[in-house]
Each structure stands twice: as C-alpha cells, then as structure tokens.
Amino acid sequence: MDHRTFYVTTPIYYVNDKPHIGHAYTTILADVLAGYHRLAGDPTYFLTGTDEHGQKVQRAAEQAGMTAQEQADATVVHFQRLWERLGITHDDFIRTTEGRHKRVVQACLQDLFDRGEIYRAEYDGWYDVTSETFVTEKDLPEGKKPEDLPNIVRIKEANYFFKMSQYQAWLVDYIQTHQDFIQPEFRRNETLGFLRKPLQDLCISRPKSRLAWGIELPFDSQYVCYVWFDALVNYISAIGYRGDEAMFSKWWPAVHLIGKDILTTHTVYWPTMLKALGVPQPRTVFAHGWWLFGDAKMSKSLGNVVNPMDMIDRFGVDAFRYFLMAEMIPGQDASFSEDGFVRRYNADLANDLGNLLNRVTNMTRRFCDGKVPAPPAGLMEHPERLDAAAREVRETVLSAVERLFAHIEAYRIDLGLSELLSAVKRVNKYLEEKQPWTLARQPDQTDLHVCLYVSAEALRILSQCLHPVMPAKMDALRAALGLRGPCTPAELRVFGMFPAGRDVQEPGALFPRVERVVPSSQAEAAVTTEAPKPVTPASPPAAAAAAPVGVATIEFTDFQKVKLKTARIVSAEKVAGADKLLKLQIEIGGETRQIVAGIAQHYQPEELPGRLIVVVANMKPAKIRGVESNGMLLAASAGGKLRLVSADPEIGSGADVK
Ligand code: MSP
C-alpha cells in the first residue's frame, strides 16, 4: 500500500432518533478502515457528525414538545456516547448547527448565486409531503399517477434552484472514466441508469413559512437552505474549506461511506455541487447495503430494530465490532440474527483465536517458565531452515497480511478477516501437528522452543492485524504475550521479530464461549458415555424437573473412584457407519487420547476443536464399533438437547475436577 493520505467520512446522522445498528455499522466500518490506513502508515483523517436541520428533526422536536435545537442537543448525545462506547477514533465530529459549518454553507450559496449557478423561479409541480422533496412523474412508482398517491400534492411557490441539469453530460462522462469513483460497480451502474433520464435542476430552498429550521439563504432571508444542500457540505466545511486552505488541501478528496439509500444525493447532487464550486471530486463514494432482521427491513413499527447498546452490554464491544465487519459483504445486504452472532463468535473468537492464545500462554508457562523461548540463533533469518510445518505457518501469516491490505483497498474487510482467521486456524493446526506437550518430554528442547516461538510470533502479527477491528481485546491479547505497544508497518511484514524472553501472562478468558441453549433451570446433569444410546435423558424433562436429580444415593468414596479431568479437544471426526458417534482426539495435560462419544447429532466436528471439556479419565478402555475409546466425556441434556460440560479456559487441560 502506498502512503497516500486517507480522509474517510460517514454520513452525518439525523438527530430525529437514537442511533441503531445501521448507524453503528457505517461508523465502525469507517473506524476500521481508518485503523488499517493508520496501521499501514498512511496519514489518516476520520470525520463523522450529525445532520441537524430539516423537516425530520423539526417534526421530531414538535412531537417531543421541544425546540428543534433542544431536540438536536438532546439526541446528539446518544450518538456521541455510542461512539465513545464503541471505541470510535474519529478526528472530528461535526454538527450542522455549528457556526463553522453554517458559515461555509452560506459562503458556498452566495458564491454560486453570484456566479449564476443558483437562480430564482416559480415552481409549479408535484411535491412529496412525506419525503419533503419536489418530484416529477418519473420519480413515482411504476404505473402510478400523482393523483393516485395521497402524499403527492400540487404545489406552486417561488424557490431557488441550482443548475444541476447542465452538468448531466459531464457527470456521466466523469463516472464512466473514473472506475473507482462509485463503488461497488453495480452501484455505479445504478447511478448511470438514473442519469439516463433527463436531470432536473435542484430546488435548494424552502420558504420559511413552510419550514423555518435550516440555514438562512444569504441572499434571501425569507428562505432556508434545503437540508441535503446543507448536509453534504459538511464533508468540506469540517476540514477547513474556505477557512483553512492548508488543512483542506491536505485531506481532500475524501472516501465517503454511505448506505445504499443515499446514493443519488452522494453521486449526483454532491458531484455537481462540487463541480460548480470548482472543488475536485471525492476519491470514492462507497455504498454499503442494509442490515436486515432475518429477511425484513428493520423498522421501529415492526419492533425489530437492533439496539447496538444492548448487543454491547451482552457480548462486549469488540465481539460486536468483529461480527458486523466479518458478517457483511460490504455492498450487499446482510441479515442480523442472534443465532448467527453467537455461532460466529464461538467459532472464530472463542474457539479459534481465544483458544490459540490460551494454548500458547499455557504451554509457555508450563514448559518454559512463562517466558517465550528464543529460537536457535539465525533460524528465523533463514526460513528455509524451518521445518515444513513452521514454514507453512510463516508463509500463511505473511500472505494473510498482504491479502488483508489488498482486501482493505477493495473495501472487502470481510475477506480480510477471513484470511486472518484462516491463518489462526493454521497455527492451531500446527500445534496439533507438533504436539508441544510431547516435544516437552524430549531431552533436547529445541523443537519445543521453535514451536512455541513460531506460534507466539504468528499471534504477534495476527493480533496487530486484528487490532483495528478489536482494539481492546487485541491490546489484552498482546499484553498477555508480553508485547508492549503497536508494531510499525515494517514489523508486520517480517516473521521473526517477537522479543523472546518476555513473560507471558495468564490471559483470562478473552472470549468466553456463549452458550445459546436451554435455560439452565431445565438442564439436568447427564453423562454421555461412549455408547450411542445414553445420550437421551432417562426420564422426560418434565418429570426430571420435578424429581430429585439422583435416583440412588452414593457414598463419597464411590464418587472418589471417578477421576474427572479437564481436557482440550484437539480434533473431531465422524465415525464411519455410526451416525451418532464422533471420534475425538483430546489432550489431557500433555497426554493425547482418543475417545468416542455419542454426540454427533448435537455437534458438528468442526465446532469442537479447542473446547475445554470434562472427561472421566479412568474409564476402562473399550472398543465402540471397532474404534478404541479411552475415556468418557460429560454433557448435559434436557428436552432432546445436549451440550458439553465445559470448564473455564483459565484452568487449562489436565486439571482435576472435584
Ligand atoms: N442525514 C442523512 C445523511 C446525510 S450525509 C451528508 C441520513 N441520515 S440517516 O441517519 O437517516 O441515515 C444515515 C445512514 O444510516 C445512511 O447511510 C443509511 O443508509 C444508514 N442506515 C439506516 N438504516 C440502515 C440499516 N438497517 N442498515 C445499514 N445502514 C442503514 O440519511
């Protein structure tokens, strides 16, 4: 990536209501892109803010019994608080009611008026009272006439118009010759499609008699400025246009992130306004899709609006940021579901990433006095001397970094994250292949040291690459590895810079698993044996809830005979010809064992590696369907559901369960 300045903006949000997940998404996306550009060493500026004028805000204020300014002042706080909570790192927050913005809007209006780009005319035509916009028949739904629609009324009034129509041919040509201008490509085609019909001039005034809440036109005090003409100017007023030329020329042109519903204002109105003002065009307007709830649009009246604050309270800020970034293909719609959230969280963060950190820190503490061991001198400078597995880890990590930055350039953060998570998986697999717990028993510890060093080094690079998405968690992860501060862009691309000898810390549960199942009051303790049958509870749940859990009492000495231990699942696969059985390789404090468990109808094999479970460690070995089983895992079952009994990852594998 070359070191270009990167100026990124979000839409400025209307202060008629509190923020929802759609607002949070764009702002997090901007924050993450800004973070990656900072990480790459690009000078970066990130602007967000609020759109405070116009009909929407005026109407909300009336309903709340406040003045429009009071409404704006009360609502802007919700946005500011949410951004603070989400760890948003914007450089500026602009409100369109601020003097610094109003002055620039008025200067632009006056300039355009003086140069004949704005003219006064009698408007006689159709007006949409819902969206407060002037419409022509071509704007109406297919086959509808204005007379059919109650929100379309005939209106006759004097207004001011911006000569937008004269820029139509220029705009079409500009879009066609600047591939990066509107993204993704299908949105570019959408704008070009819109421009196939004749472009009208844009009415940029509202008579105060109809709407007083806006910026007064400098050349006619009877009018205020149309809210979009005011709002779009925020992107230049905030960075010193007509005030601080040095600042303005440092940052402009911008990358505008927007939702697909505001494509026309950003790719038709705004470019023609800039053209008339003599300002260069934005670098890119990137339109993302909508977050849907299931298949439905989120709306207050349907009561399906996802409140970002609730999600953060329940799952944490970084998990929420990660989910939004990983789940949506920028440009397309995405569907939000709690189930999807929990599934992705558990798979990517709890199992893959959290588990990798736990393994590296636990084994470093257990086998290397808690210090990341140094590899043999000169080895990392000669990767060809690494064994094939370590070389593959190194290459996977370094190529994930390169691909990540290429995906960021293409606004495909989802693909960038999946590269990083694949690399995390590769490192987990490396540990399974190398079995440091076995290497630790060899008299020569070199292989153990290389293995733990390579894994810690992979985590150093991958955690830095994940930092823009999960800043707080990655700081914690890095602190647990003994790393201090972020690394430089160059240090991201060199494998072998981990400062060996640092003390690792107990990481705690970085991403504790979230169970999305049965309310605990219904769960009846049950044990899954290696046999397929006992998975089903002995009695139906209703009876089980009413009856005492145990059927017969036992002596403490009986219980003492059972050796329960924590174990880490290393891998899992189906047993051929037995649809209820999975064959698991588990690690119990450095020892690997195979067990067979009747859980195949409740878990997919790929969900399991990395989990810390509880097993009966002193079961007599048995053969189940011809497959050897050396132990038995514990699970809870109720109402036909079955979930593994799991232990707090902090304790690691091999601990006694009493
Ligand atoms: N004030 C204008 C923008 C002016 S920019 C010069 C505005 N504000 S808004 O608050 O209504 O919407 C802001 C953004 O939120 C839009 O980009 C819109 O697409 C986005 N979203 C609103 N609901 C959304 C989803 N459900 N999903 C994703 N984004 C959506 O428009």
Side-chain angles (χ1 to χ4, degrees):
M1 216 191 263
D2 50 348
H3 294 278
R4 284 191 295 174
T5 54
F6 182 69
Y7 170 38
V8 64
T9 68
T10 71
I12 47 171
Y13 304 109
Y14 285 129
V15 285
N16 58 332
D17 208 347
K18 288 184 190 165
H20 60 64
I21 191 169
H23 304 132
Y25 173 73
T26 323
T27 309
I28 294 170
L29 180 62
D31 190 57
V32 165
L33 292 176
Y36 280 114
H37 280 269
R38 285 186 205 115
L39 185 59
D42 298 338
T44 298
Y45 198 80
F46 168 16
L47 173 71
T48 189
T50 40
D51 191 352
E52 306 197 347
H53 292 125
Q55 193 71 44
K56 276 200 168 114
V57 176
Q58 167 82 53
R59 206 175 281 154
E62 279 159 15
Q63 278 163 8
M66 297 183 197
T67 66
Q69 188 65 58
E70 285 166 350
Q71 162 74 25
D73 292 344
T75 310
V76 70
V77 182
H78 293 289
F79 286 91
Q80 288 166 333
R81 264 197 224 129
L82 180 61
W83 302 157
E84 202 181 319
R85 186 87 199 278
L86 281 170
I88 302 298
T89 58
H90 49 286
D91 296 287
D92 194 2
F93 185 104
I94 190 159
R95 302 180 57 183
T96 54
T97 48
E98 287 175 69
R100 61 169 174 154
H101 173 74
K102 292 201 252 184
R103 268 195 300 280
V104 177
V105 172
Q106 288 187 324
C108 292
L109 286 165
Q110 188 67 57
D111 178 23
L112 295 176
F113 185 69
D114 292 346
R115 291 193 288 109
E117 297 276 346
I118 288 175
Y119 63 93
R120 185 185 161 101
E122 192 74 28
Y123 178 81
D124 183 359
W126 302 108
Y127 187 73
D128 179 343
V129 289
T130 319
S131 65
E132 301 285 335
T133 49
F134 298 89
V135 290
T136 62
E137 297 197 17
K138 79 174 163 74
D139 300 321
L140 303 178
E142 288 255 326
K144 293 277 180 198
K145 293 207 166 333
E147 301 77 25
D148 304 337
L149 299 161
N151 55 320
I152 306 293
V153 295
R154 192 82 191 174
I155 196 167
K156 202 171 169 192
E157 79 189 10
N159 262 309
Y160 289 88
F161 293 83
F162 164 52
K163 288 185 181 167
M164 190 160 74
S165 61
Q166 64 180 339
Y167 295 110
Q168 178 160 14
W170 163 82
L171 182 58
V172 169
D173 181 64
Y174 187 87
I175 294 171
Q176 279 169 343
T177 51
H178 294 79
Q179 298 285 322
D180 285 351
F181 181 49
I182 304 174
Q183 293 190 49
E185 200 184 331
F186 67 97
R187 297 282 172 219
R188 186 166 153 257
N189 295 336
E190 201 175 308
T191 300
L192 287 171
F194 176 88
L195 288 168
R196 250 174 246 130
K197 299 173 202 159
L199 191 59
Q200 308 291 310
D201 286 347
L202 181 67
C203 178
I204 55 105
S205 64
R206 297 291 183 269
K208 280 190 183 170
S209 53
R210 212 149 49 75
L211 171 71
W213 183 234
I215 299 175
E216 192 176 285
L217 296 188
F219 41 81
D220 191 337
S221 62
Q222 295 306 300
Y223 290 85
V224 295
C225 180
Y226 168 46
V227 68
W228 271 102
F229 202 90
D230 153 3
L232 288 160
V233 171
N234 92 88
Y235 299 135
I236 54 177
S237 67
I239 54 161
Y241 180 64
R242 289 178 192 252
D244 182 344
E245 279 310 310
M247 181 182 186
F248 182 68
S249 56
K250 174 167 186 194
W251 298 116
W252 189 257
V255 168
H256 297 312
L257 303 180
I258 60 164
K260 63 181 183 181
D261 54 320
I262 53 178
L263 185 70
T264 308
T265 49
H266 281 80
T267 59
V268 178
Y269 297 7
W270 184 225
T272 54
M273 285 166 67
L274 289 168
K275 177 75 179 157
L277 288 166
V279 175
Q281 294 304 310
R283 187 161 126 192
T284 294
V285 177
F286 185 92
H288 63 71
W290 282 74
W291 278 98
L292 308 173
F293 195 84
D295 296 333
K297 198 169 159 177
M298 288 187 196
S299 90
K300 246 185 157 177
S301 52
L302 291 173
N304 63 358
V305 178
V306 176
N307 178 341
M309 283 292 195
D310 292 348
M311 294 302 294
I312 300 171
D313 287 341
R314 293 174 52 206
F315 301 107
V317 169
D318 284 2
F320 181 61
R321 289 173 59 113
Y322 177 79
F323 175 77
L324 293 187
M325 293 300 106
E327 190 73 10
M328 183 179 256
I329 300 173
Q332 294 176 23
D333 290 348
S335 133
F336 186 92
S337 81
E338 208 168 297
D339 213 39
F341 186 103
V342 172
R343 216 174 313 127
R344 185 179 272 284
Y345 171 92
N346 280 342
D348 293 1
L349 301 180
N351 285 6
D352 290 346
L353 183 58
N355 184 36
L356 177 58
L357 176 68
N358 283 329
R359 289 169 128 187
V360 172
T361 51
N362 281 343
M363 290 194 278
T364 303
R365 288 167 61 201
R366 197 136 35 96
F367 305 135
C368 300
D369 292 332
K371 293 188 195 310
V372 174
L379 179 64
M380 301 313 291
E381 291 75 28
H382 294 280
E384 71 284 358
R385 294 188 200 152
L386 289 167
D387 67 27
R391 230 169 27 236
E392 201 184 308
V393 167
R394 176 184 176 277
E395 275 151 28
T396 308
V397 169
L398 291 178
S399 87
V401 176
E402 290 316 313
R403 290 193 209 166
L404 164 73
F405 283 102
H407 289 312
I408 295 297
E409 283 287 288
Y411 302 92
R412 288 300 303 269
I413 174 69
D414 59 318
L415 292 180
L417 288 175
S418 93
E419 288 285 345
L420 297 176
L421 264 291
S422 304
V424 167
K425 276 198 170 68
R426 182 64 193 86
V427 189
N428 270 319
K429 190 166 148 246
Y430 173 64
L431 289 172
E432 281 140 31
E433 287 161 1
K434 288 277 139 192
Q435 307 204 345
W437 48 93
T438 313
L439 298 178
R441 291 201 295 265
Q442 291 177 356
D444 180 354
Q445 300 275 286
T446 312
D447 289 349
L448 172 73
H449 291 177
V450 171
C451 174
L452 290 181
Y453 182 86
V454 163
S455 308
E457 172 60 347
L459 262 178
R460 175 187 72 86
I461 295 177
L462 294 171
S463 64
Q464 187 71 67
C465 289
L466 287 164
H467 193 274
V469 179
M470 298 183 283
K473 290 289 179 184
M474 292 307 102
D475 281 344
L477 188 157
R478 295 171 68 77
L481 288 173
L483 294 167
R484 290 173 212 124
C487 63
T488 64
E491 287 165 345
L492 268 185
R493 291 176 163 83
V494 181
F495 196 95
M497 301 202 64
F498 195 98
R502 290 278 172 84
D503 284 315
V504 303
Q505 311 291 325
E506 170 56 55
L510 199 61
F511 297 109
R513 273 190 76 78
V514 176
E515 296 298 344
R516 59 187 142 120
V517 267
V518 265
S520 55
S521 59
Q522 285 175 24
E524 167 207 357
V527 175
T528 27
T529 68
E530 61 283 66
K533 274 288 172 211
V535 163
T536 335
S539 42
V549 171
V551 261
T553 55
I554 56 164
E555 293 293 337
F556 179 60
T557 47
D558 291 332
F559 176 67
Q560 270 188 316
K561 288 184 199 153
V562 182
K563 287 272 167 287
L564 296 176
K565 285 203 175 270
T566 58
R568 174 105 45 215
I569 302 180
V570 176
S571 63
E573 59 182 283
K574 295 202 159 125
V575 174
D579 57 3
K580 292 187 177 155
L581 296 181
L582 288 184
K583 183 170 82 176
L584 310 178
Q585 305 303 322
I586 58 168
E587 178 236 320
I588 310 179
E591 179 202 344
T592 317
R593 284 202 200 175
Q594 173 169 297
I595 62 170
V596 176
I599 57 172
Q601 293 183 328
H602 304 273
Y603 287 94
Q604 293 304 315
E606 61 275 18
E607 284 184 78
L608 295 170
R611 291 188 191 225
L612 194 64
I613 57 168
V614 176
V615 297
V616 180
N618 59 340
M619 284 296 288
K620 240 196 197 140
K623 277 215 162 151
I624 300 150
R625 300 273 182 116
V627 185
E628 178 146 12
S629 182
N630 287 307
M632 184 172 98
L633 56 73
L634 300 195
S637 86
K641 283 204 164 115
L642 179 136
R643 297 281 100 188
L644 294 171
V645 171
S646 58
D648 189 331
E650 217 180 307
I651 196 74
S653 80
D656 291 325
V657 178
K658 311 181 200 190

